[in-house]
Each structure stands twice: as structure tokens, then as C-alpha cells.
Amino acid sequence: MISAASLNTLPAAIVVYDASGTVIEANEAALKVLGEDAAALIGSRADDAGWLVVDSADGPISVHPAVACLRARQAVHGALTRVRRPDGIEIWVQVDAAPEGDGVVANLTDVTHLIARSRASTRSGGDHIIDAVTEHIASAQMEPRAVLRTVTQALSKLRPGIWIAALMGKDPASILFVVAD
């Protein structure tokens, strides 16, 4: 394992978790990305972080990338995650996590600027409802069935074409939906 002093020589944001998913080390770059101080981050648990994982190069995951890595004992690549910093600012972080001994080492890359410029960030009809559902899920740490109930209830208030298009990352005005019996 790399020493704590050596972690700070790396330009990449690195967070080290133990076998229970508790942060045991984080370098200065990680503290800066997450807007945390070492005292608040060290000792915190990945399960309690409240991060919302929206995509992963390895396929969908529903838990913090470090937890997914711990459970599977396999690396997690390119997990796109929304993180709310202590100052209230939301950022988008790409997380790559790999098993190391009994724990996990995670590399965090702030990709907020890329998301802000992407097509996925353009506003379309119904985005306010999807934002509200996403916020509710991220803050509540709900179990999977409760997530499905909440999402279904909120999305049922939209016309089907709008929320399907939003889920696909498309502008509803540019899609033709045909309903057939």
C-alpha cells in the first residue's frame, strides 16, 4: 500500500477505503474535489456518502463505487457519480475503484465541466420532475423497491413520451412516439 505521504505527491484525487468501506486515507487532491477536510472525510463510510451513481462503464451499479468494488472484489471503471459537497455545491465525479489488499483504492476525477457542456445537461420538458426524483432518491438512501415506487409515482405525472425521452437523454421535441394496440 502506498504511504499517506506519497499519496499527496500524486496529482490524482485518491481515496482509500478499508474492508468495511470506511475512508482510511485521502490525499489533498481528493479533499479539494470533495470540498472536505481530512477530519470529516477520514472515518466516514462509503455507504453514508449519499453519492448518486448514474452510470458505469461496467454496467449499472446501485451502490457507492467503493462498496461495489468491495462486494465484487473487482475493479469498477468509469462510474459517473453525483456528489453534493458540504458547501452545497453538486459536482459530477468519475470514479474508478480497484481492490487493494482487503480494501479499495478509488481515483476521483471531477467531470462537472464536461457534464455541464454535454447534451445530457440540456433542459427539456419534465426535467424538473426528474431532478426532484433524483434528489429525493439521493438524499433518502432508499431500498430498491421504495426507489421504484417513488420513481414510478413521480414519472406517472408526466406524459410518457417526455419521461422516456428524458431517460434516453433525448429532447422530447425531436422524438416521434407511435402507440399501437
Side-chain angles (χ1 to χ4, degrees), residues 122-140:
T122 61
R123 305 303 288 175
S124 63
D127 275 357
H128 63 287
I129 293 176
I130 292 180
D131 287 346
V133 170
T134 302
E135 179 62 31
H136 184 68
I137 292 168
S139 65

Side-chain angles (χ1 to χ4, degrees), residues 84-157:
R84 175 169 285 136
R85 295 167 37 137
D87 59 10
I89 295 173
E90 289 184 353
I91 62 170
W92 290 92
V93 177
Q94 177 179 313
V95 181
D96 296 291
E100 176 66 35
D102 290 340
V104 170
V105 175
N107 175 46
L108 313 178
T109 305
D110 185 347
V111 294
T112 306
H113 65 287
L114 298 174
I115 299 300
R117 292 187 199 135
S118 75
R119 181 164 166 48
S121 68
T122 61
R123 305 303 288 175
S124 63
D127 275 357
H128 63 287
I129 293 176
I130 292 180
D131 287 346
V133 170
T134 302
E135 179 62 31
H136 184 68
I137 292 168
S139 65
Q141 296 187 3
M142 300 161 62
E143 60 97 10
R145 283 197 170 91
V147 169
L148 290 174
R149 277 192 305 277
T150 301
V151 169
T152 303
Q153 288 171 351
L155 293 179
S156 69
K157 297 174 185 173

Side-chain angles (χ1 to χ4, degrees), residues 2 8 19 21 39 42 46 49 55 60 63 67 71 73 103 107 116-117 119 141 159 162 165 170 179:
I2 192 168
N8 283 323
I42 306 297
D55 197 11
V63 295
V67 173
R71 289 180 184 167
R73 297 307 301 162
N107 175 46
R117 292 187 199 135
R119 181 164 166 48
Q141 296 187 3
R159 291 191 328 250
I162 291 175
K170 304 286 184 184
V179 179

